[in-house]
Amino acid sequence: MAGVLQPIADAGVAGATYPNGEPARWEHASVIADQTLYVFGGRSGDGNTKDDFAVPCMALDLSAKLSASSAVWSHVCSKNGPQLAGHTATINPTINMVMLFGGNAPSGSLHASNPLRLFSAEIRFWNTPTNSGFPQPLVNHSASLDTTTGDLVVYGGQTRDGGLLSNSTLRMVTDPDAHELLQPPPEKPFVIIVSPSTTSASASATRPTSSASASESKSTPASASRSSSDASSSTSKTRSSSSSSSSSPSSSTASTSSPSSSPRPTSLLSSLLDDGGGGQDGGILGMARRSGDSSSDTKPLMTWANDTLPYGVSGRVGHTLTAVNGTLMVVLGGDSDGALVSMKTLFVYDAPRQAWTQRTAGGRIPAARRNHVATVVNGTKIIVHGGANAAAEALGDVAVLDIATWTWTQPKITGAPAARYAHAAVQAGPYMVLTFGRAD
């Protein structure tokens, strides 16, 4: 059932240790593969030394009888793994490959410059592709898997120095052939804005130029930069307190509006990308091969492409990106330019069509928050737990978003775990499995 919560570890504070001997951690990530729960990294202290970061990986067998107070964790998956915090872990279940992207690393760490690590849950083996052309490591972003193409989709976050708040959607393309049947994107990105009373995607569209047609009958794909010149201007620094450049219309009639007349923020793509000579033609931002493979004729394992939202839509951190049925990805909550984003405002990414839609949710809207967790039940409902409010206080509530009606409910929960933020969650059948987190 949607409201069932099963904590594997309670919330903690710096220096705390659980009954099973594991230290508290937060800003970690988790996935499930072959009935095994993997927890990757996290912080265990407030500094930036190696001792302030948790072990690279822990594994817990979910096929055995579980007890939250006596869970037996294995560290066998930690060998050669990176110490990270504020990263994401996304699994491709077809090949049991976990993709860790971004995050902070201890000072002087050998893993500090490379934003991508791969972990094979099949053989419990770590691999670090070369970082030529990869984006800089982002922190407190979100990531999900596009099951149509196998792409890793990364949205938002900021650079480690806090200098760039990204509104980009980065796609790690693992199979270029899978993109051949996708609808080609238009020249300019925009967002379809759907009012609560609108049942289709026929609604106001916020475009970066005023030369577009005056009506739209369906959601149109956002731009994926296809040339190096386009890519160089596709990432924005968002420091103003501006919100979405158009409010939700009261009519379902399609219309087009121009963005704010304020100047476009200075492009910082050169800051977001590690050049390294890895730039490729056609908007592909680099290629990766296995470490130590210098063969010039090796087919790239992956390439990066960059879709950027209109500059009127600011970036965010501490949000969630939840895949529904493997195609729609819903962005919830988070912090944008120093203010929490209302849980009433939803951004929905149609991954196969590379299209963004902004929706306004109804029902009992949960409190705004960041550093919460979200999972999906039955492909129709998104379950949200915890996070931190504007006063940095931990939340312990549960809210459910029905994507059929885009309506929030707040079910009554019994036996819920302690309030927490910066924790991790995965869905295991009817159970939302929470791990660790911070309560202070």
Side-chain angles (χ1 to χ4, degrees):
M1 296 177 61
V4 177
L5 295 168
Q6 178 64 42
I8 293 299
D10 205 351
V13 296
T17 301
Y18 295 110
N20 57 14
E22 294 295 341
R25 69 194 64 215
W26 54 94
E27 295 187 359
H28 54 291
S30 64
V31 303
I32 290 179
D34 290 338
Q35 299 188 64
T36 299
L37 172 65
Y38 292 94
V39 172
F40 297 99
R43 287 188 177 276
S44 55
D46 292 320
N48 202 41
T49 68
K50 184 177 180 180
D51 292 339
D52 293 306
F53 284 73
V55 295
C57 179
M58 301 194 309
L60 179 66
D61 184 3
L62 297 181
S63 65
K65 185 177 180 180
L66 287 178
S67 170
S69 62
S70 60
V72 180
W73 295 91
S74 166
H75 293 184
V76 66
C77 56
S78 278
K79 184 178 180 181
N80 299 322
Q83 287 184 292
L84 296 171
H87 54 296
T88 52
T90 307
I91 186 169
N92 186 333
T94 303
I95 56 176
N96 270 351
M97 181 68 72
V98 183
M99 297 167 280
L100 273 65
F101 181 79
N104 284 309
S107 299
S109 170
L110 296 176
H111 300 284
S113 63
N114 198 320
L116 182 69
R117 289 88 175 176
L118 304 177
F119 174 74
S120 172
E122 193 77 25
I123 57 176
R124 294 187 174 179
F125 178 79
W126 286 94
N127 176 262
T128 303
T130 57
N131 65 352
S132 177
F134 279 173
Q136 269 191 29
L138 295 173
V139 179
N140 290 325
H141 54 285
S142 58
S144 191
L145 182 74
D146 177 357
T147 57
T148 304
T149 60
D151 293 354
L152 173 67
V153 178
V154 177
Y155 170 68
Q158 64 185 140
T159 52
R160 286 173 173 168
D161 60 5
L164 172 66
L165 187 64
S166 173
N167 71 341
S168 289
T169 307
L170 300 169
R171 298 176 65 92
M172 190 188 77
V173 181
T174 56
D175 183 6
D177 294 338
H179 286 253
E180 291 182 356
L181 299 180
L182 293 182
Q183 181 177 339
E187 293 182 358
K188 300 291 183 180
F190 66 97
V191 176
I192 298 295
I193 302 178
V194 182
S195 68
S197 61
T198 304
T199 57
S200 70
S202 299
S204 170
T206 301
R207 296 177 182 268
T209 66
S210 59
S211 60
S213 60
S215 66
E216 291 290 335
S217 61
K218 61 183 179 179
S219 184
T220 305
S223 170
S225 302
R226 298 303 180 192
S227 68
S228 57
S229 60
D230 288 339
S232 66
S233 61
S234 61
T235 301
S236 303
K237 183 178 182 180
T238 56
R239 286 299 179 198
S240 67
S241 59
S242 63
S243 59
S244 177
S245 57
S246 176
S247 60
S248 298
S250 58
S251 169
S252 62
T253 303
S255 63
T256 301
S257 61
S258 299
S260 168
S261 59
S262 59
R264 188 180 182 94
T266 304
S267 169
L268 288 180
L269 190 63
S270 58
S271 299
L272 185 63
L273 298 178
D274 289 327
D275 186 6
Q280 300 296 311
D281 189 22
I284 300 301
L285 306 180
M287 65 176 64
R289 298 186 176 92
R290 297 189 186 281
S291 299
D293 185 355
S294 60
S295 173
S296 60
D297 59 355
T298 301
K299 183 178 179 179
L301 292 176
M302 59 203 71
T303 55
W304 286 95
N306 186 1
D307 306 340
T308 303
L309 285 170
Y311 65 89
V313 181
S314 58
R316 67 179 74 185
V317 295
H319 55 290
T320 53
L321 178 70
T322 308
V324 181
N325 293 332
T327 56
L328 293 182
M329 300 183 184
V330 183
V331 177
L332 295 173
D335 182 297
S336 182
D337 295 321
L340 295 184
V341 179
S342 171
M343 300 290 276
K344 186 176 182 178
T345 302
L346 313 176
F347 277 97
V348 183
Y349 183 60
D350 186 332
R353 300 179 61 207
Q354 303 171 60
W356 280 98
T357 302
Q358 179 181 329
R359 291 184 174 272
T360 301
R364 291 186 61 195
I365 311 298
R369 66 196 63 208
R370 61 171 293 166
N371 299 110
H372 53 284
V373 294
T375 62
V376 175
V377 174
N378 297 329
T380 60
K381 292 179 173 61
I382 299 177
I383 316 300
V384 172
H385 175 266
N389 61 19
E393 298 168 332
L395 301 173
D397 59 336
V398 174
V400 180
L401 176 65
D402 188 335
I403 66 166
T405 59
W406 301 106
T407 302
W408 284 104
T409 57
Q410 297 184 45
K412 184 177 180 180
I413 303 296
T414 59
R420 68 188 70 194
Y421 62 93
H423 49 314
V426 291
Q427 195 69 30
Y431 296 101
M432 184 187 203
V433 184
L434 304 182
T435 52
F436 302 101
R438 187 151 189 166
D440 62 341

